[in-house]
Amino acid sequence: MQRGLPMQPTVVLLKEGTDTSQGKPQLLSNISACLAIAETLSSTLGPRGMDKLIVNERGEAQITNDGATILKLLDIVHPAARTLVDIARAQDAEVGDGTTSVVLLAAQLLKEVRGYIEEGVSPHIIMKGFRKAAELAIEHIKSVQITVDKSNPEQFRSLLLKCASTSMSSKLIHSEKPFFSNMVVDAVQCLDQDDLNENLIGVKKIPGGGMQDSLLVKGVAFKKTFTYAGAEQQPKAFRNPLILSLNVELELKAEKDNAEVRVEHVSDYQAIVDAEWEIIYRKLEAIEKTGAKVVLSKLPIGDLATQWFADRDIFCAGRVPADDLQRVVQAVGGSIQSTCSDIKREHLGTCGYFEERQIGGERYNLFTECPKAKTCTLILRGGAEQFIEEVERSLHDAIMVVKRAVKNGDIVAAHRHPVPDGKLDLSSRIRKHALSIPGKLQLVMIAFAKALEVIPRQICDNAGLDSTDILNKLRMKHANGEQWYGVDVDGPEGIRNNLDAFVWEPSLVKVNAISSATEAACLILSVDETVRAPQSEAASDACCRVPPAAPRLSTMSTVLAKTYYAKAISDSSDSGSTKSGLSPSDSVLEVPTLGAPVAKDKPSFWRRPKHELDSIATQPSVFDDPATLEQYRPPPTWENVHRFDPSARWTWREEYRIVRKIDLLIMIWAFIMFFSLDLDRSNISQANTDNFLNDLGLTTNDFNLGNTLFKLSFLIAELPSQLISKRVGPDIWIPSQMVLWSFVSLGQFWLTGRASFLATRCLLGFMQGGFIPDVILYLSYFYTKTELPLRLAWFWVSNYLAEIVGAFIATGLLKLRGVNGKAGWRYLFLIEGGLTLAIGIASFFMMPPSPTQTKAWFRPNGWFTEREETIIVNRVLRDDPSKSNMHNRQGLSIKMIWNILKDWRMWPIYALGIVFMVPVTPPQTYLTLSLRNLGYTTTQANLLSIPSKFLGMILLLAFCYLSEIIDSRVISTALLQIWALPLLIALYTFDQNTSPWVYFAVVTLITGFPYVHPVQVAWASTNSAGVGTRTVSASIYNMFVQAGGIISANIYRDDDKPLYKRGNRVLIAICVMNMFLYLFVYCFYKGINKRRDKIWNSWSAKEQQEYLEKTEDEGNARMNFRFAY
């Protein structure tokens, strides 16, 4: 009988929880991460490369196409991908240019050998082949490089200019290459040619002016520091002055803040004060005795010392930045003194000329003709701060390139504009050499040669050229011995001789790029295992809990390596936001992944995630788990149930095509309908400019009463309209509304006086109430919750577009005054009402009841095929399963409305709805009337209202994007109050003597306010936490907004015109109150989330699961729901 083996002890090497990934999958994962980095940078390469707009977590934006800068701004956490970040930084520090090229080359090397790794080729063989090919490439570059004779100054300067110009070809400043090339070369030649310390080239940025206003100061320049009044009496220019640099404070300090001295007599206290004054006077006298005419200090120089220096014709500057003071010392000589005693002549510096000069909107202190060290300062001008920063980065690259050219003088034809030569020539030579090598090394070297072609190929692609055609032409030229030929992105042939075109750069740029890319590729190939230390206990506990204070838990999810779903927890229609939330780990069910989950943390809100068009787009959902499928299966009464198919799969190509089709057929028509609504709502403002009030015998108070009745009627109609819409369907009710109010709108042609005016305002409010929530509900049938917010932003753009178009229409129609004895405003109401009637009638034919009900007698084939209907229905349901809980002909109950009204957690948002628009609404309503009161004609008043509409349209989109980017509702909406407050204060200070154009400018900024209403509508929807309640809460919120409109309509009164001083005081007070209200709302929701986190995290996983299964809480009352704020 065979003896059993003795039991071996278990050897534990790593702490429990340590993540180890190894072998071929790990290597391929590292390569994929590097390719993702390269894909991000590829579009920035070359003279036709695109720029990247990168916004950090604080909302600060930077625009650049510099590879090293982009990688530095992107917070890359993958350890292998960070290797590419390191080589880009090394390339930038060593030669200053070629950062994008080195990353693309390294990634392409890995891409070319990925197939060999999958087939089992040893990474060591690949690394050996790479290093051999890199040696050949570098040897060839050194054999063909051209050494320029430095003994000929003109020829050498010409070389430097060409190198600088080549470096700028792919930058933002390429259109000003001659100007900046001369500036860069002059700056480098100002330095000590033996040292070439680029730190002695200072860069100062002054917003304003154009790029051509930038200048080079051959010396030191820094911005004028903070000074006291006495500084204006000091001399502003010296010839050959002595300069003293100090690290001494020359300022009296308040005794109560800086010392505690116990005295018994007043005379003792006075003696202490006298001693302090004596000390500072002793310092000042010691400085004067040195003979210095310019005194600089890192520390403050107070008002006493400033006036004392001014009386003795000495210039002084305190609080000088440390780096600027250090450059001054290196340039003028001397040293920084930390005491005022025993200062000798050798401690002082001097320069040929010192002056204080105005540059743009700033004053600068300039030190020129410095004898001790050669230095200079670049003063850059431009329109935007981001643009100037990109100019600075571009000039840094050019300075580094010129510096390297000065040091070694070896150049080759560049691969920029016109581009490239060397990479393709190197590729052909390495291919030829590889054919003489047997074995697998031959394949690796051919892969290296092919990878070198990525640079010219990518530049052709970025320039819109046929890369295959261009590369074939270059191969032919290189085969014929014409090695300097490269891509020409401007010429008709697409290629040209770069050497003859003087497109040069130091050979060191190419050598360093090839060697760095090769070493990075070899480093990544040498890693076959990644060991991650386990997370701390607190961090691992957090993985099983609801993230604390997550502001958008109901609309965001975490992308995991595998997809998990919680078991069904409730049948309630108002718990949609929690049905797909993660439950504790002991009760989750693992589901096979369908399409790759879409990451919610995209680099930027406006950038669509890139997908392989033919890959599966079907997103994981609760319908993939048999345990939850039946809980969420649509009821038989749902109008789209015949197209529901949990096994349906589709590609991204199909999804993109369908979304574009929905945009064209559904979204654009919704935009047109809202446009007609706003056209009829805003035409009363244009009518005001045509003596509307005088023609009807109305006063401002009558006009206010009419607007109040309109708002009140609009408010009253909100909920009844919703009840009707849910009962008969929005596809029937919305067109019916439009036809009804169009009759009232065009009926205003026959207005006779106060009674008919007030009656039509009431009828318009009743007919238009509920229109917006109805349309939003209708759009939700077709779009997912991630697609709808941006489309709602564009939806509200029609508001401004209607006012702009309405102003142009009014400009023409109001000139009809006198035709048939009628006023121009009557024709305005008649024609715009007729336009709305036509759109309303067309809407009966343009609004199908649902995605699966587009067929009709006038549209026998429908809009969508059966396949498209299946995709639309299932993609929307997978995004939000609760959308099938209500039929599109199913009405709302009174009980549901009452329960939502009792939800005190929503009251703060409703309160905001009343007051947030009040500070800006009266100036907007009275804009045209105020302009008429200031003396502008009817035409002028209507045209002058257009800029505010255009500004508001831009700010609407900007703030909707901002809300998504910073993920904060309070901040993005409270900015409206911060925008309005200073403008309202300025408006309050105006009097009858104020220039009409100044008044116009301020009122335009007020009425062009950022319209944050869409953000707050989405905020209310998010915190409602259920599709069944979102429609009602949106209506209630809109009612409160209309109530705010009633308040706004009664702030400007007839006895307060034309400047409305009393009304503006009220608006200022409300604006200040709103700021505190937003702060309260922030603390309110943050406090609720914090309290729920504390309770939830104190429960065990079992207790959490029991709560989810047994609780009767619904919607936002659930303990695992987190409010957005």
Side-chain angles (χ1 to χ4, degrees), residues 308-333:
W308 197 91
F309 285 133
D311 294 340
R312 288 154 181 79
D313 292 335
I314 299 175
F315 177 87
C316 68
R319 297 185 177 92
V320 178
D323 56 342
D324 287 330
L325 189 61
Q326 191 62 40
R327 280 202 311 125
V328 170
V329 171
Q330 291 180 349
V332 305

Side-chain angles (χ1 to χ4, degrees), residues 700-701 704 919 922-924 926 930 984 987 999 1047-1056 1059-1064 1067:
T700 302
N701 291 342
N704 287 341
Q924 184 185 41
Y926 282 81
S930 299
L984 289 172
L987 189 64
Y999 183 92
I1047 297 172
S1048 304
N1050 291 277
I1051 291 179
Y1052 280 3
R1053 307 297 294 175
D1054 191 65
D1055 60 348
D1056 197 23
L1059 296 176
Y1060 302 108
K1061 289 279 189 178
R1062 184 181 64 244
N1064 289 332
L1067 296 180

Side-chain angles (χ1 to χ4, degrees), residues 800 920 923-925 927 948-949 952 1002-1009:
Y800 291 94
V920 292
Q924 184 185 41
T925 305
L927 174 61
S948 64
K949 314 305 180 190
V1002 173
V1003 174
T1004 296
L1005 289 174
I1006 295 176
T1007 56
F1009 61 92

Side-chain angles (χ1 to χ4, degrees), residues 214-412:
S214 302
L215 67 146
L216 172 67
V217 177
K218 295 184 178 180
V220 179
F222 57 82
K223 183 179 176 181
K224 179 183 178 181
T225 59
F226 173 81
T227 56
Y228 293 92
E232 296 304 318
Q233 304 173 22
Q234 296 175 353
K236 303 302 181 186
F238 292 100
R239 175 65 65 180
N240 298 318
L242 292 178
I243 302 169
L244 175 60
S245 302
L246 298 172
N247 188 19
V248 176
E249 187 175 29
L250 300 176
E251 185 176 31
L252 291 171
K253 292 292 184 181
E255 292 79 3
K256 64 180 181 179
D257 297 331
N258 294 274
E260 180 180 347
V261 180
R262 297 176 184 245
V263 296
E264 296 181 356
H265 302 92
V266 175
S267 58
D268 295 337
Y269 174 74
Q270 186 62 43
I272 295 171
V273 174
D274 292 343
E276 186 179 9
W277 282 71
E278 182 181 353
I279 291 171
I280 192 169
Y281 275 124
R282 194 181 305 154
K283 292 180 181 179
L284 298 177
E285 290 168 356
I287 292 173
E288 182 189 15
K289 289 179 182 179
T290 64
K293 285 297 183 182
V294 177
V295 179
L296 308 176
S297 178
K298 277 199 269 187
L299 299 178
I301 297 179
D303 52 352
L304 171 66
T306 301
Q307 187 61 53
W308 197 91
F309 285 133
D311 294 340
R312 288 154 181 79
D313 292 335
I314 299 175
F315 177 87
C316 68
R319 297 185 177 92
V320 178
D323 56 342
D324 287 330
L325 189 61
Q326 191 62 40
R327 280 202 311 125
V328 170
V329 171
Q330 291 180 349
V332 305
S335 59
I336 299 177
Q337 300 297 301
S338 58
T339 178
C340 294
S341 59
D342 198 25
I343 299 177
K344 299 180 181 179
R345 175 62 184 81
E346 58 267 23
H347 299 149
L348 304 179
T350 185
C351 68
Y353 187 66
F354 166 80
E355 67 172 329
E356 183 177 297
R357 186 197 305 176
Q358 184 80 21
I359 302 177
E362 307 286 353
R363 295 192 65 82
Y364 269 74
N365 299 326
L366 278 64
F367 300 81
T368 55
E369 303 174 25
C370 303
K372 289 293 182 181
K374 295 183 177 180
T375 184
C376 63
T377 304
L378 299 175
I379 298 180
L380 306 181
R381 306 293 307 280
E385 290 184 7
Q386 294 95 335
F387 180 80
I388 300 178
E389 290 174 357
E390 179 64 7
V391 171
E392 180 187 8
R393 288 188 286 267
S394 302
L395 293 184
H396 170 265
D397 290 355
I399 287 171
M400 293 296 294
V401 167
V402 172
K403 172 184 172 182
R404 294 301 173 187
V406 171
K407 280 196 171 183
N408 57 35
D410 298 326
I411 59 99
V412 292

Side-chain angles (χ1 to χ4, degrees), residues 860-890:
N861 296 325
W863 277 343
F864 306 112
T865 65
E866 181 178 333
R867 169 71 173 168
E868 290 173 336
E869 290 178 356
T870 301
I871 294 174
I872 295 173
V873 170
N874 287 277
R875 65 188 289 272
V876 170
L877 274 189
R878 283 180 173 272
D879 177 70
D880 189 348
S882 62
K883 285 188 177 181
S884 64
N885 289 341
M886 297 186 70
H887 191 274
N888 62 359
R889 297 289 191 268
Q890 181 179 346

Side-chain angles (χ1 to χ4, degrees), residues 1063-1099:
N1064 289 332
R1065 282 200 306 271
V1066 174
L1067 296 180
I1068 292 171
I1070 294 176
C1071 191
V1072 174
M1073 180 196 72
N1074 287 350
M1075 293 182 181
F1076 287 99
L1077 181 57
Y1078 274 107
L1079 180 61
F1080 165 76
V1081 174
Y1082 176 87
C1083 297
F1084 178 83
Y1085 285 126
K1086 186 173 183 179
I1088 292 179
N1089 288 353
K1090 187 175 181 180
R1091 173 181 168 273
R1092 290 184 176 182
D1093 285 335
K1094 184 177 180 181
I1095 296 174
W1096 182 267
N1097 293 335
S1098 67
W1099 291 347

